[in-house]
Coordinates of all heavy atoms in Angstrom, one line a residue:
M1 N 153.2 53.4 113.4 CA 154.0 52.5 112.4 C 155.1 53.6 111.7 O 156.3 53.1 111.5 CB 153.3 51.8 111.4 CG 152.7 50.6 111.8 SD 154.0 49.6 112.2 CE 153.1 48.0 112.4
M2 N 154.7 54.7 111.5 CA 155.6 55.6 110.8 C 156.8 55.9 111.7 O 157.9 56.0 111.1 CB 154.8 57.0 110.4 CG 153.9 56.7 109.2 SD 154.8 56.3 107.8 CE 154.1 57.4 106.7
A3 N 156.6 56.1 113.0 CA 157.7 56.3 113.8 C 158.8 55.3 113.8 O 160.0 55.4 113.8 CB 157.3 56.6 115.3
A4 N 158.3 54.0 113.8 CA 159.2 52.8 113.6 C 159.9 52.8 112.4 O 161.1 52.5 112.3 CB 158.4 51.5 113.9
A5 N 159.3 53.2 111.2 CA 159.9 53.3 110.0 C 161.1 54.5 109.9 O 162.1 54.1 109.2 CB 158.9 53.5 108.9
S6 N 160.8 55.4 110.6 CA 161.9 56.5 110.5 C 163.0 56.2 111.6 O 164.1 56.9 111.4 CB 161.2 57.9 110.9 OG 160.8 57.9 112.2
R7 N 162.8 55.4 112.5 CA 163.9 55.1 113.4 C 165.3 54.5 112.7 O 166.3 55.0 112.9 CB 163.4 54.1 114.4 CG 164.2 54.1 115.6 CD 163.7 53.3 116.6 NE 164.2 53.7 117.9 CZ 163.9 53.2 119.2 NH1 162.9 52.3 119.2 NH2 164.5 53.7 120.2
P8 N 165.2 53.6 111.6 CA 166.3 53.1 111.2 C 167.1 54.2 110.5 O 168.4 54.2 110.4 CB 165.9 51.9 110.1 CG 164.6 51.5 110.7 CD 164.1 52.7 111.4
N9 N 166.4 55.2 110.0 CA 167.1 56.4 109.3 C 167.9 57.1 110.3 O 168.8 57.8 109.9 CB 166.0 57.2 108.6 CG 165.5 56.5 107.3 OD1 166.1 55.5 106.9 ND2 164.2 56.9 107.0
A10 N 167.5 57.2 111.4 CA 168.2 57.9 112.5 C 169.5 57.3 113.0 O 170.4 58.0 113.3 CB 167.3 58.2 113.8
L11 N 169.6 56.1 112.8 CA 170.8 55.3 113.2 C 172.0 55.7 112.3 O 173.1 56.1 112.8 CB 170.6 53.9 113.2 CG 169.7 53.4 114.4 CD1 169.5 51.8 114.3 CD2 170.3 53.6 115.8
P12 N 171.9 55.7 111.1 CA 173.1 56.2 110.2 C 173.6 57.6 110.5 O 174.8 57.8 110.6 CB 172.5 56.1 108.9 CG 171.5 55.1 108.9 CD 170.9 55.4 110.1
S13 N 172.5 58.6 110.9 CA 173.1 59.9 111.2 C 173.9 59.8 112.6 O 174.8 60.6 112.8 CB 171.9 60.8 111.3 OG 171.1 60.5 112.3
V14 N 173.4 59.1 113.6 CA 174.1 59.0 114.8 C 175.5 58.3 114.6 O 176.6 58.8 115.1 CB 173.5 58.2 115.8 CG1 174.1 57.9 117.1 CG2 172.1 58.9 116.2
S15 N 175.6 57.3 113.6 CA 176.7 56.6 113.3 C 177.6 57.6 112.7 O 178.8 57.6 113.0 CB 176.4 55.3 112.4 OG 177.6 54.8 112.0
N16 N 177.1 58.3 111.8 CA 178.0 59.4 111.1 C 178.6 60.3 112.0 O 179.7 60.8 111.9 CB 177.2 60.1 109.9 CG 176.9 59.1 108.7 OD1 177.6 58.1 108.5 ND2 176.0 59.5 108.0
A17 N 177.7 60.9 112.9 CA 178.1 61.8 114.0 C 179.2 61.1 115.0 O 180.1 61.9 115.1 CB 177.0 62.2 115.0
L18 N 179.0 60.0 115.2 CA 180.1 59.3 116.0 C 181.5 59.3 115.2 O 182.5 59.4 115.7 CB 179.7 58.0 116.6 CG 178.7 58.0 117.5 CD1 178.1 56.6 117.8 CD2 179.2 58.7 118.8
R19 N 181.3 59.0 114.0 CA 182.5 58.8 113.1 C 183.3 60.2 112.9 O 184.4 60.3 112.9 CB 182.2 58.3 111.8 CG 182.1 56.7 111.7 CD 182.0 56.4 110.3 NE 181.5 55.1 110.3 CZ 180.1 54.6 109.8 NH1 179.4 55.6 109.5 NH2 179.7 53.4 110.0
A20 N 182.4 61.2 112.9 CA 182.9 62.6 112.7 C 183.6 63.0 114.0 O 184.8 63.6 113.9 CB 181.8 63.7 112.4
V21 N 183.1 62.6 115.2 CA 183.8 63.0 116.4 C 185.0 62.2 116.5 O 186.1 62.7 116.9 CB 182.8 62.7 117.7 CG1 183.5 62.8 119.0 CG2 181.6 63.7 117.5
E22 N 184.9 60.9 116.2 CA 186.1 60.1 116.2 C 187.2 60.5 115.3 O 188.5 60.7 115.7 CB 185.9 58.7 115.9 CG 187.0 57.7 115.8 CD 186.8 56.2 115.3 OE1 185.6 56.3 114.5 OE2 187.2 55.3 115.8
S23 N 186.7 61.1 114.1 CA 187.7 61.6 113.1 C 188.5 62.8 113.7 O 189.7 63.0 113.7 CB 187.1 62.0 111.8 OG 188.0 62.6 111.0
L24 N 187.7 63.7 114.4 CA 188.3 64.9 115.0 C 189.3 64.6 116.0 O 190.3 65.1 116.2 CB 187.2 65.8 115.6 CG 186.4 66.6 114.5 CD1 185.1 67.4 115.1 CD2 187.3 67.6 113.8
L25 N 188.9 63.7 116.9 CA 189.9 63.2 117.9 C 191.1 62.5 117.6 O 192.2 62.8 118.1 CB 189.0 62.2 119.1 CG 187.9 62.9 119.7 CD1 187.2 61.9 120.6 CD2 188.4 64.1 120.6
M26 N 190.8 61.7 116.5 CA 192.0 60.9 116.0 C 193.0 61.9 115.2 O 194.2 61.7 115.2 CB 191.5 59.7 115.1 CG 190.9 58.7 115.9 SD 191.8 57.9 117.1 CE 192.9 57.0 116.1
S27 N 192.6 62.9 114.6 CA 193.3 63.7 113.7 C 194.4 64.4 114.8 O 195.5 64.6 114.5 CB 192.6 64.7 113.1 OG 192.0 65.7 113.9
G28 N 193.9 64.8 115.9 CA 194.8 65.5 116.8 C 195.9 64.4 117.4 O 197.1 64.7 117.5
G29 N 195.4 63.1 117.6 CA 196.4 62.1 118.0 C 197.3 61.8 116.9 O 198.5 61.4 117.2
Q30 N 196.9 61.7 115.7 CA 197.8 61.4 114.7 C 198.8 62.5 114.5 O 199.9 62.2 114.2 CB 196.9 61.4 113.4 CG 197.7 60.8 112.2 CD 196.9 60.5 111.0 OE1 196.0 61.4 110.6 NE2 197.0 59.4 110.3
R31 N 198.4 63.8 114.7 CA 199.3 64.8 114.5 C 200.4 64.7 115.6 O 201.6 64.9 115.4 CB 198.6 66.1 114.8 CG 199.4 67.4 114.5 CD 198.6 68.6 114.4 NE 197.3 68.7 115.3 CZ 196.1 68.6 114.6 NH1 195.9 68.6 113.4 NH2 195.1 68.7 115.5
T32 N 199.9 64.4 116.9 CA 200.8 64.1 118.0 C 201.8 62.9 117.6 O 203.1 63.1 118.0 CB 200.2 63.8 119.4 OG1 199.3 65.0 119.5 CG2 201.1 63.6 120.5
A33 N 201.4 61.8 117.1 CA 202.1 60.7 116.8 C 203.2 61.0 115.8 O 204.4 60.7 115.8 CB 201.3 59.6 116.2
R34 N 202.9 61.8 114.7 CA 203.8 62.2 113.6 C 204.9 63.2 114.3 O 206.1 63.0 114.1 CB 203.0 63.1 112.6 CG 202.4 62.3 111.7 CD 201.8 63.1 110.6 NE 200.8 62.3 109.7 CZ 199.8 63.0 109.3 NH1 199.4 64.0 109.5 NH2 199.0 62.1 108.6
R35 N 204.4 64.0 115.2 CA 205.5 65.0 115.8 C 206.4 64.2 116.8 O 207.6 64.3 116.7 CB 204.7 66.0 116.7 CG 205.7 67.0 117.2 CD 204.9 68.3 117.9 NE 203.9 67.7 118.9 CZ 202.6 68.0 118.8 NH1 202.2 68.7 117.8 NH2 201.6 67.5 119.8
N36 N 205.8 63.1 117.5 CA 206.8 62.3 118.2 C 207.6 61.4 117.5 O 208.8 61.3 117.7 CB 205.8 61.3 119.1 CG 205.1 62.1 120.3 OD1 205.6 63.2 120.6 ND2 204.2 61.5 120.8
A37 N 207.3 61.0 116.3 CA 208.0 60.2 115.5 C 209.1 61.0 114.8 O 210.3 60.6 114.7 CB 207.2 59.6 114.2
W38 N 208.8 62.4 114.4 CA 209.8 63.2 113.8 C 210.9 63.5 115.0 O 212.2 63.5 114.7 CB 209.3 64.4 113.3 CG 210.1 65.3 112.7 CD1 210.7 66.5 113.2 CD2 211.1 64.9 111.6 NE1 211.6 67.0 112.4 CE2 212.0 66.1 111.4 CE3 211.3 63.9 110.8 CZ2 212.8 66.2 110.3 CZ3 212.2 64.1 109.7 CH2 213.0 65.0 109.5
T39 N 210.5 63.8 116.2 CA 211.4 64.0 117.4 C 212.2 62.8 117.5 O 213.5 62.9 117.8 CB 210.6 64.3 118.6 OG1 209.8 65.4 118.5 CG2 211.5 64.6 119.8
A40 N 211.7 61.7 117.4 CA 212.5 60.4 117.6 C 213.5 60.2 116.4 O 214.7 59.8 116.6 CB 211.8 59.1 117.6
V41 N 213.3 60.7 115.2 CA 214.2 60.6 114.2 C 215.3 61.5 114.4 O 216.5 61.2 114.1 CB 213.5 61.0 112.8 CG1 214.4 61.2 111.7 CG2 212.5 59.8 112.4
L42 N 215.0 62.7 114.8 CA 216.0 63.8 115.1 C 217.1 63.3 116.1 O 218.2 63.4 116.2 CB 215.4 65.1 115.5 CG 214.6 65.9 114.2 CD1 214.0 67.2 114.8 CD2 215.4 66.0 113.1
E43 N 216.5 62.6 117.2 CA 217.2 62.1 118.3 C 218.1 61.0 117.9 O 219.2 61.0 118.2 CB 216.3 61.7 119.5 CG 216.9 61.2 120.7 CD 217.8 62.3 121.4 OE1 217.4 63.5 121.2 OE2 218.7 62.0 122.1
D44 N 217.7 60.1 117.0 CA 218.4 59.1 116.5 C 219.6 59.6 115.6 O 220.6 59.1 115.8 CB 217.6 58.2 115.6 CG 216.6 57.2 116.5 OD1 216.9 57.1 117.6 OD2 215.7 56.6 115.9
R45 N 219.3 60.6 114.8 CA 220.4 61.2 114.1 C 221.5 61.9 115.0 O 222.6 61.8 114.7 CB 219.8 62.2 113.2 CG 218.9 61.7 111.9 CD 218.5 62.8 111.1 NE 217.7 62.3 110.0 CZ 216.8 63.0 109.1 NH1 216.9 64.3 109.4 NH2 216.1 62.5 108.2
R46 N 221.0 62.5 116.0 CA 221.9 63.1 117.1 C 222.8 62.1 117.6 O 224.0 62.2 117.7 CB 221.3 63.9 118.0 CG 222.2 64.7 118.9 CD 221.5 65.3 120.1 NE 220.9 64.1 121.1 CZ 221.7 63.4 121.9 NH1 223.0 63.5 121.9 NH2 221.1 62.4 122.6
R47 N 222.1 60.9 118.1 CA 222.9 59.9 118.6 C 223.9 59.3 117.6 O 225.1 58.8 118.0 CB 222.0 58.8 119.2 CG 221.5 59.2 120.6 CD 220.7 58.0 121.2 NE 219.6 57.6 120.3 CZ 218.4 57.6 120.6 NH1 218.0 57.8 122.0 NH2 217.5 57.2 119.8
A48 N 223.6 59.1 116.3 CA 224.4 58.5 115.5 C 225.6 59.4 115.2 O 226.7 59.0 115.1 CB 223.6 58.3 114.0
K49 N 225.4 60.7 115.1 CA 226.5 61.8 115.0 C 227.5 61.5 116.1 O 228.7 61.6 116.0 CB 225.8 63.2 114.9 CG 227.0 64.2 114.7 CD 226.3 65.5 114.5 CE 227.3 66.7 114.5 NZ 226.6 68.0 114.6
D50 N 226.9 61.5 117.2 CA 227.7 61.3 118.6 C 228.5 60.1 118.5 O 229.6 60.0 118.9 CB 226.8 61.3 119.8 CG 226.2 62.8 120.1 OD1 226.6 63.8 119.5 OD2 225.4 62.8 121.0
R51 N 227.8 59.0 118.1 CA 228.7 57.7 117.9 C 229.8 57.9 117.0 O 231.0 57.3 117.3 CB 227.7 56.6 117.5 CG 226.9 55.9 118.6 CD 226.3 54.7 118.1 NE 225.5 54.8 117.0 CZ 224.2 55.1 117.0 NH1 223.6 55.4 118.1 NH2 223.6 55.1 115.9
V52 N 229.6 58.5 115.9 CA 230.7 58.7 114.9 C 231.8 59.6 115.5 O 232.9 59.2 115.2 CB 230.0 59.2 113.6 CG1 231.2 59.8 112.6 CG2 229.3 58.3 112.9
E53 N 231.5 60.6 116.1 CA 232.5 61.4 116.7 C 233.2 60.6 117.8 O 234.5 60.8 117.9 CB 231.8 62.7 117.3 CG 231.3 63.7 116.3 CD 230.5 64.8 116.9 OE1 230.3 64.9 118.1 OE2 230.1 65.7 116.0
A54 N 232.6 59.8 118.6 CA 233.2 59.1 119.6 C 234.2 58.1 119.0 O 235.2 57.8 119.4 CB 232.2 58.3 120.5
Q55 N 233.7 57.5 117.8 CA 234.5 56.5 117.2 C 235.8 57.1 116.6 O 236.9 56.6 116.8 CB 233.8 56.0 116.0 CG 234.4 54.7 115.3 CD 234.7 53.5 116.2 OE1 234.0 53.2 117.1 NE2 235.9 53.0 116.0
H56 N 235.7 58.3 116.1 CA 236.9 59.1 115.6 C 237.8 59.4 116.7 O 239.0 59.3 116.6 CB 236.5 60.3 114.8 CG 235.8 60.2 113.6 ND1 236.6 59.8 112.5 CD2 234.5 60.2 113.2 CE1 235.7 59.6 111.4 NE2 234.3 59.9 112.0
V57 N 237.4 59.8 117.9 CA 238.1 60.1 119.1 C 238.9 58.9 119.5 O 240.2 58.8 119.7 CB 237.4 60.7 120.1 CG1 238.1 60.8 121.4 CG2 236.8 62.1 119.8
L58 N 238.1 57.7 119.7 CA 238.8 56.5 120.0 C 239.8 56.0 119.0 O 240.9 55.5 119.4 CB 237.7 55.2 120.2 CG 236.7 55.5 121.4 CD1 235.6 54.5 121.3 CD2 237.5 55.4 122.7
E59 N 239.5 56.1 117.6 CA 240.6 55.8 116.7 C 241.9 56.7 116.8 O 242.9 56.1 116.7 CB 240.0 55.9 115.3 CG 239.0 54.7 115.1 CD 238.2 54.9 113.6 OE1 238.5 56.0 113.1 OE2 237.4 54.2 113.4
A60 N 241.6 58.0 117.1 CA 242.8 58.9 117.2 C 243.5 58.6 118.3 O 244.8 58.6 118.3 CB 242.3 60.5 117.3
V61 N 242.9 58.3 119.6 CA 243.5 57.9 120.8 C 244.3 56.7 120.5 O 245.5 56.6 121.0 CB 242.5 57.8 121.9 CG1 243.3 57.3 123.1 CG2 242.0 59.3 122.2
S62 N 243.7 55.6 120.0 CA 244.3 54.2 119.9 C 245.6 54.4 118.9 O 246.6 53.8 119.1 CB 243.5 53.2 119.4 OG 242.9 53.5 118.2
G63 N 245.5 55.2 118.0 CA 246.6 55.5 117.0 C 247.7 56.1 117.6 O 248.9 55.8 117.3
R64 N 247.5 57.1 118.6 CA 248.7 57.7 119.2 C 249.4 56.8 120.1 O 250.6 56.9 120.4 CB 248.1 59.0 120.0 CG 247.7 60.1 119.2 CD 247.4 61.2 120.1 NE 246.6 62.2 119.2 CZ 245.6 63.0 119.7 NH1 245.4 63.0 121.0 NH2 245.0 63.7 118.9
T65 N 248.6 56.0 120.9 CA 249.3 55.0 121.8 C 250.0 53.8 121.3 O 250.8 53.1 121.9 CB 248.3 54.6 123.0 OG1 247.2 53.8 122.2 CG2 247.6 55.7 123.7
S66 N 249.6 53.5 120.0 CA 250.2 52.3 119.5 C 251.7 52.5 119.2 O 252.2 53.5 118.6 CB 249.5 51.9 118.2 OG 248.2 51.6 118.6

């Protein structure tokens, strides 16, 4: 009977161990997600800058031909 009583106490430790492993794995994934998000922000800024420059060029060209 004592072995059966100690068994429920083992489950939380296994559960905690699984949570710890999940936390370690997810932290790396979260770091990668943040890095990818920042890269996307920088790329969006670069494209926005390129659009503004292209707009200025188009306005300059259309002003000369009018």
Side-chain angles (χ1 to χ4, degrees):
M1 283 296 195
M2 287 299 229
S6 66
R7 193 171 209 182
N9 293 337
L11 289 178
S13 65
V14 170
S15 175
N16 288 341
L18 289 174
R19 279 194 199 103
V21 169
E22 181 184 31
S23 175
L24 287 172
L25 293 174
M26 292 302 286
S27 68
Q30 192 175 45
R31 190 170 30 249
T32 300
R34 284 188 191 138
R35 187 172 51 242
N36 289 345
W38 183 245
T39 301
V41 166
L42 294 177
E43 184 64 20
D44 286 345
R45 288 179 181 174
R46 186 194 62 77
R47 280 189 299 237
K49 181 180 171 190
D50 289 347
R51 276 195 305 272
V52 169
E53 290 175 1
Q55 184 65 36
H56 287 284
V57 168
L58 289 173
E59 288 172 356
V61 169
S62 68
R64 284 187 199 148
T65 58
S66 295

